[in-house]
Amino acid sequence: MNPLWLMLLILVPLVGAMIIAFGSGKNAYRDALFASLASLVPAVAALMEFDFTHAGHYQGQWSVSWLEPLGLKLSLGVDSVALLLILLSVLLGPVCVLASKTAITDNRKLYYAWLLVLQSAMVGVFCARDLLLFYICFEFTLLPMFILIRMFGSTNRVAASTKFFLYTFTGSLVTLAGLVYVVKFAAERNGVWSLDIGTLTTAASYMSPKEQAWVLGAMLAGFAVKVPLFPVHTWLPLAHTEAPTAGSVILAGVLLKLGTYGIYRFAIPMAPVAFTEHAPTIAVLAIIGIIYAGLICWVQDDIKKLVAYSSVSHLGFCVLGLTALNANGLSGSVLYMLSHGFSTGGLFLMIGFMYERYHTRDMRKVGGLASKMPVWAFFMVFFTMASVGLPGLNGFPSELLCLISAFQADGSWTAAGEPGAAGVTLGPWYAAVAGTGMVVAAMYLLIMVGRICFGPKIEPEGHHHHEVLPDDLNAREIVTLLPLAVGCLAFGLFPGLLLGAIEEPVNDTVRLVEASHELSGPHAMADSASTAAEGVRP
Amino acid sequence: MIEKLPQIWPELLLFLTTCVVMLTGQWPSAPIRRLTPWLAAVGLIAAGGASIGAPAGDGLFPGMMVYAKVLTAIVGLMMLPLLAGTVDRELEAQSARGVPFQPIRSNGAEFYAFFLFSLTGLMLVSSADDLIWLFLALELTSLPTYIMVTISTQTTRSQEAGIKYFFLGALGAAIFLYGFALLYGASGTTNIPEMAAYFRAEGLGPIGLLGVLVSLIGVSFKVAAVPMHFYTPDVYQGAASPVSAMLAFVPKTAGFLAIFMVAGVAGWGEDQRLPAEVDAMLWIMAALTMTVGNVLALIQSSVKRMMAYSSVAHSGYMLVGVLAGPGAEGSPFWRNGLAAVLFYLLCYGVMNLGVFAVLASLERKGEEADDIDDIRGLVKTQPVLGWTMVICSLSLLGFPPLLGFIGKVGLFTSGVASGNIPLVIILGINSAIAAFYYLRLVAAAYLEPASDTGFRPSPYLSRQFAGLLSAGGVIALLFAGSGLIKAADNASRIAPPDGVAVPAKHHDAGHTTPAEPAHGHASQPHG
Amino acid sequence: MIADLLTAPAWSALLAMAPDAQGAGGSHAATQVAHGPGWVLLIPFLPLLGAALCGLYAAMGVKSKLPAWTVIGLLAVSFVTTVAMATGFGGADGAAYTVKAFDWIQVHGEHNSFVANFSFFVDTLTIYWMLFVTGLATLIALYASEYMSHDVGTGYCRFFAAFSLFVFSMACLVMGDNLVMLYLGWEGVGLCSYLLIGYFYKKPSAVAAAKKAFIVNRVGDLGLALGLYLTYVHFGTVEYAALFANERLLHYVELAKTGAFDQIPMMAQGIPLLLMVGAFGKSAQFPLYVWLPDAMEGPTPVSALIHAATMVTAGVYLIARFYPVFLASELALPIVAWIGTITALLAATIGMAQFDIKRIMAYSTVSQLGYMFAGLGVLTPTGAAYHTLTHAFFKALLFLCCGAVMHGFAGQLDLRKLSGLRRVKGWGIVSFGMLIGCLNLAGFPLTAGFFSKDTILAEAFVTPGTAVIGWILIITAGMTAYYTFRVFFRVFVGPVEYHPGDEAHDHDHGHEDHGHAHGETHTHDAGHHGDHHGDHFHPHAPGWAINTVLATLTVLSIAASGLYFVGAGEAHGTKTKHYADTMVSASTAGYHSPYSEHAFHAEHGADHNADDGGDHAAPHAGVGPRGTIDEPLMLLGKDPHKIMYYVSGVVGLVGIVLAWFFHYAGRKTASECRMDKVARLFGPIPRWAENKWYVDEFYNATIRVPLRVVSHFFHWFDKLVIDGVVNLAGLSPRIGGWLIRPSQSGVLQGYAAGMVGGVAVLLVVILLVVRFGGGA
């Protein structure tokens, strides 16, 4: 794969942002749409050129030294997981721009420029092969999002944006300390100061379990906040509620995934033994999140807050899959990262479209919109069903795999008789309790749809028709939704394509974790092996 | 002494310039008076150029001289445009109206001269190889600034600030002078490399230890570390912004160089750690300094006070680097805390300047902007100033990939690598606290609507230029940082002990007993 | 017996790849089952096409009956294809095959793979189920084309899209070749059920009912999902072909045969316990039955197809399909039996006290489903499947008749407000259909319902330890006959009297012109008693489509009893008694109760023994999963099946007679009858029964309200405690700042004192603590 495509993926939005920033601002929307569509070109090119038969190899590698004494390099490269996440980020670009046409009326220059910068930074996160470059992009995403919320959010935006920035920033700094520790360890071990993620990953697995535990803790401080994992989730509902629609879409679609991606890319391979050891604890937090946030959704009147909390709940499944540390779990989790944005992003768009018309998100003030906005209601129900995890739509395959993997992660139960892939023991109770999240999700989402789409029509007092927008969705809005809707269906019906694409990197990760167990001593394996012997008959 | 001459050519050049500037600054002819800053610039360039080729020094850090002097010259040059219009405004205005110039009422000459004096002092600090030299150089750095603070505005506030600064500075000087005396008493020499060699051989001993501790605390006045930080807000706020900008850089740099030397005397031992007591004290100071600085900055609405406290906090960050020390021979930059500090001083000097430049560039009836409300919506009303504020604040925040972040990475890595992980975590948390108030600056300048508070751009456009330089530096150094990082790395290397004679001081029995038995046997002088 | 099963062709095909079916390789084994003809895919995908087309019509704004005709046509083709599939299969001798549409979910790990393809599995059980699913769907679509005609336009498209999608989902459920496909269908039918119950979405009660159905089903789905996971984890595959040939499973079944349950791992025994929760949810069994009666908010064709004939039998299908897995569990089948029995009884008691005829039918559906579950539990999957089939026809018929009434009388469903419809012009076919349906449901001798119910009852008495179940079921049968004919005697015969429903009045209730009751002109008050069929209300007699469908179903219901006498054959080396038995026995549900065989031997001892070489009965006689019996089992000295013919026939007749006595004899008006006086004797009990024993209220008080309280608690906990801690942490630097701010007093002396004091404290701390305190 030509590294040019990766560079273009970063540069095209940046150039677009520049053009908008230095332009008159009159055509900001048009330019942004053009730039976001233009960045689809390198994305497609990268996809076509990517060699999926070696999906675990980093392709399109390119590197140039930046701050040489510091070891910082501009070094790019993607495996299939990163590539797919990049595609997701790029795909959401035009969606976000389209969704903002009428929602953003002031300061368009600022808005679209930062939206594009944000896209650039997200792509940077996924294709960085240099630890510091990763971190730079990872942190840089905060600023555009901060500005989007702070400038274009609703009433409580100042508090929301500040909390978003500071909360995630604080956690990330601790993560940086952990990452630096890995660098230090690797440098002492290899005798060379290197920030190359591949080199670091290889070296890191030689850390003692205790060191790994600390490093893991430090990494989680940042990544768990990003995910967000219970109990460090409180910034998310606030940020989501206050953010402009496109901001919410990106937040749910990509920014949260930076956390799970961080866990997948760094926490697991760099601290495999510690991760295995603490997987049950993390899984418990994930499960608490699933149910706790789900139940909170149930009593929300603010529809956006409801969907925001549902994100917390959903991401719990994603983390649960990661903690299972087997092929099913990691595949499911990566699939979750890819697919969650489509349904939740879709819901945020639906809410945004409604908000533009009624200027309220309070479910007590609007309801029964199906009769007035049938197309809107159709999409609302569609995305809700996707979010509920209806088979055939996007939520299902990943949720299924995540739960199965948790079930399977008890070494004693695997069919072939060998212990669970990495010796983790989560087991059926984890899956069973997490599974109740499915029921809870059905509860709150259907109640939401029931209130807002169905039943007698309620409109806010003094409601006037929108001066620009029709009662029901217009063509632009439908076009905005279509990619997400098609994505929901495609993810639901053909997840096999994606699962096949990520098979190799995922299995590499599983192998790496297993190998690290052999490195760090047999005790972990022995435990599960002995339980395995009891449970399985010849 | 004559063999030192090549080393102090920059200082001599600067001194020469000072003398010239002192004359031109009160020359009756306005055009010549206007030449003054340009002459100062020429002097700084010459001094900087001269220091590039200078031979290694004889001090504990032979390579430090070059780096520090170039750094001084660069930051000094960047500050010069900011100084314009600080003093003599009325006088110049009258002169322009045809009123004869009255040198006796003019402060221009002193102002520029003292500025250069102070920089000379800073350069001298970097080449100090003797405690006496160090003391004198430190005082040469500080004394002019007392005057500069006092004369920087016409208000009584700056006079009050000057007085406070002077008295407290004297107290600080007294403390570290006492410490120096103790060091001399313990080692029998004032030569820093010899003293270091002596302590390395003999162990610190109680007197030596006390000397190191007291000296460090005393010198930390210059860097405004807790508990010697009290003066900062009042002085920074009392002084005109250009002077505050200078205060945040010049004495701080001098202070850190001195701290390096004193800490170097105590020595980073086999395990690359300072002696336990020194380590503990610096640890406590670092943690307190960052925290106190940040929490106090957090509750300010005056940007100057905020920046004053943030300057305290940044000293705290840098102390982490001091604790980490230079690392073992040949260890890379990421382990080298001193190099990180040296590089961070550069970063701090550049980005800090920008914020003060913005404040200095906004005036309302001769009064400079100070409150955070004064910079609201600046990006819209004054794009250059606004963006300078945004970029410099973000950089101070340590936002990647800006210069402040790159600087902080060095402190981070050296802290982690030297095993001071708790302190690094404290650093991280403090950065987050700092993020809050820096973010306020960013948001106020960039995101909030402008409200007309009557502030207009200063007629001295060179101030805006200083801001532009600073913002540009924040960006440019990102790409040109490699050489500077290497230079900083070089500068922080401690002279190898070989060739330094351990002074043959004979102790009276019972006068000093080696405190640590482990060091007791190593009493033979080095060949 | 089990060993015999394994020699059968279907099984041998599966067994052929048994060596590969182990462990990691197991999931690939499915490819070794024969691939069936691709046209089988038409069965699920034509309805899907129909749904897509209806969506398209909606988008294009079609305002005709085009959606209906599209769907009817496609469903008919689908049905024909199913028939072709059935005839092509060759009955009990056919070998199961799979047809793959495309790869769906595949994860290939180092140690094991997870494979669930979008692929279909065809064996006799599939065919059996699909025949009535597609057949009934076609008929009911035709019925609905008229029934829903008041809503032509978007609503019509929406209805038929969901209807068609339902058939697709049901096909996936029944035909899927793996548990995940089944789950897809399972949730898919749930979705369609949700959409169709909530069809009149402006009606809050419909929305609530739809929501309730989905959520309660989700509880069941959770069980199913967990069962799925456990199946995969334990057996290494979710694909039927590999699963049912899995050596471990076969071993368990072998063990279960001898009652050696202690040798089967608890994990394996847990799988059916989880799967059955799913079945309880979908098939509305206690305690998850509460959604089904409410589901009657949907249009009646939906109630007939989804909530009576097909979807709700999915649970029966699931258990039948997984019968070997259920057999391997000591507790699973007894629990199924008891839950079924309890449900049957409970629903019957509620059904007796209801006044809404559609609700009565709903409770009777719950009750009959209970029968089917009891049948599964007492080791007669055949009986369960047979009852499913007969029930599908007659219950669909009953519902459609009720629907016709509702359609014609402006939504009137209260049996106290309708009477003597038989004599109203144009209602003949409806009344006759109703009569046939009621006879079936009541188990009137020689009807299809009679035979299928008998099978279950008889088996309950022969299987050891389930006689109590048998008695309860017999009592229930009597109650069923009573409440069924209560409807018939009150609504269709007796004096002519009717009051239209209120649907024409309340325009907020979704279907404005439903009932064609000329709402503009007449001022009928629904609650106004003694108001006879005035000039201004004309019942809207059913049109040709409805009548055709009703007539067809009536004929089919009658004909279904003939099934008892045809199709006997042989499956897995054992003789089967009739069509349903053959089809079920040849599939994975194939299981002949040793007890019933035993009883059968007692009756036909001689000739059967002759067939089997004379020694067949001895080794198999008394050994079965529920214990050992030493003697041929008899009921009153006879074959229990024969005995049951008489017993249940009599019980049914008694029920009918009671209904006649209390609800017909001497009744003068629609609203009053003898039963009213009798009911008073029972005090509040009838009212409790009418209020469904307050189960909804009980759930509300014990589950929903506490959960809601917990949710509110969490909400505030999140806001105050968790976010509070965060805010406090955010505030603490600020507080710190305020605390130390006084030190910055601006007073020079203070600063100096601070500095000196600071130095002193620092030095003291360092020197005392670190140096001399041993802290170094």
Side-chain angles (χ1 to χ4, degrees), chain A residues 422-481:
Chain A
V424 197
T425 24
L426 297 185
W429 285 111
Y430 287 79
V433 178
T436 55
M438 290 168 35
V439 181
V440 179
M443 224 155 61
Y444 62 76
L445 283 167
L446 289 183
I447 286 170
M448 175 190 83
V449 167
R451 287 174 74 173
I452 202 125
C453 291
F454 305 135
K457 190 168 81 187
I458 310 168
E459 289 183 327
E461 275 173 44
H463 165 70
H464 301 291
H465 288 273
H466 195 279
E467 59 271 26
V468 184
L469 296 167
D471 274 355
D472 206 346
L473 300 186
N474 62 20
R476 171 185 59 86
E477 288 167 325
I478 293 174
V479 169
T480 312
L481 290 170

Side-chain angles (χ1 to χ4, degrees), chain A residues 4 43 54 71 92 128 139-140 143 200 208 226-227 267 342 345 424 441 483 487:
Chain A
L4 180 70
H54 298 96
L92 287 180
E139 285 288 74
F140 195 81
L143 185 64
L200 293 176
S208 73
K226 261 277 177 350
V227 171
F342 285 84
V424 197

Side-chain angles (χ1 to χ4, degrees), chain A residues 196-210:
Chain A
D196 179 64
I197 291 174
T199 317
L200 293 176
T201 309
T202 317
S205 49
Y206 291 94
M207 286 193 293
S208 73
K210 202 176 163 205

Side-chain angles (χ1 to χ4, degrees), chain A residues 163 167 230-235 237 291-292 295-296 298-300 305 309 327-328 331 370-371 381 385 388-392 396-397 399-401 403-404 407-408 413-419 421 428 431-432 435-436 438-439 441-443 446-447 449-451 453-456 492-497 499-500 503 507 510-511 514 535-537, chain C residues 23-24 102-114 116 118 154 180 183-185 187-188 191 194-195 198 201-204 207 210-211 214-215 218-219 221-222 225-230 232-238 248 251-252 255 262-265 267 274 703-705 707-712 714-715 717-719 722-723 726-727:
Chain A
K163 190 176 222 166
Y167 207 146
F230 175 87
V232 287
H233 62 277
T234 46
W235 64 271
I291 294 164
Y292 173 85
L295 285 174
I296 290 177
W298 192 20
V299 293
Q300 295 303 321
K305 201 162 239 174
Y309 269 112
N328 286 338
S331 303
S371 54
V381 173
M385 286 301 157
V388 166
L390 194 81
F396 174 71
E399 213 168 276
L400 172 86
L401 288 172
L403 285 173
I404 273 199
F407 226 124
Q408 196 185 10
W413 287 15
T414 49
E418 66 283 271
T436 55
M438 290 168 35
V439 181
M443 224 155 61
L446 289 183
I447 286 170
V449 167
R451 287 174 74 173
C453 291
F454 305 135
L493 290 177
F494 308 106
L497 290 176
L499 289 170
E503 191 176 304
N507 277 323
V510 173
R511 264 193 294 274
E514 285 173 10
V536 176
R537 351 184 84 261
Chain C
F102 54 86
D103 287 349
W104 189 26
I105 304 175
Q106 294 198 353
V107 177
H108 298 290
E110 286 283 288
H111 306 291
N112 37 43
S113 299
F114 181 85
F118 217 93
T154 321
V180 187
Y183 189 80
L184 172 116
E187 292 253 294
L191 167 72
Y194 168 79
L195 293 174
Y201 61 81
K202 289 179 198 161
K203 227 164 115 185
V207 178
K211 210 162 61 191
F214 198 95
I215 292 169
R218 264 271 160 151
V219 177
D221 294 356
L222 173 62
L226 294 175
L228 188 167
Y229 308 153
L230 196 47
Y232 168 69
V233 171
H234 192 74
F235 293 112
T237 180
V238 290
R248 206 185 276 178
H251 181 66
Y252 295 158
L255 287 172
D262 52 338
Q263 292 177 43
I264 302 173
M267 308 311 148
L274 290 167
I703 298 172
R704 192 182 158 279
V705 169
L707 210 54
R708 190 103 185 140
V709 169
V710 168
S711 301
H712 275 291
F714 280 172
H715 175 60
F717 181 80
D718 205 53
K719 218 175 197 171
I722 295 194
D723 207 29
V726 172
N727 289 338

Side-chain angles (χ1 to χ4, degrees), chain C residues 721-745:
Chain C
V721 179
I722 295 194
D723 207 29
V725 168
V726 172
N727 289 338
L728 200 66
L731 204 60
S732 58
R734 203 166 273 269
I735 295 170
W738 286 324
L739 286 179
I740 54 178
R741 188 179 224 170
S743 69
Q744 298 290 344
S745 57

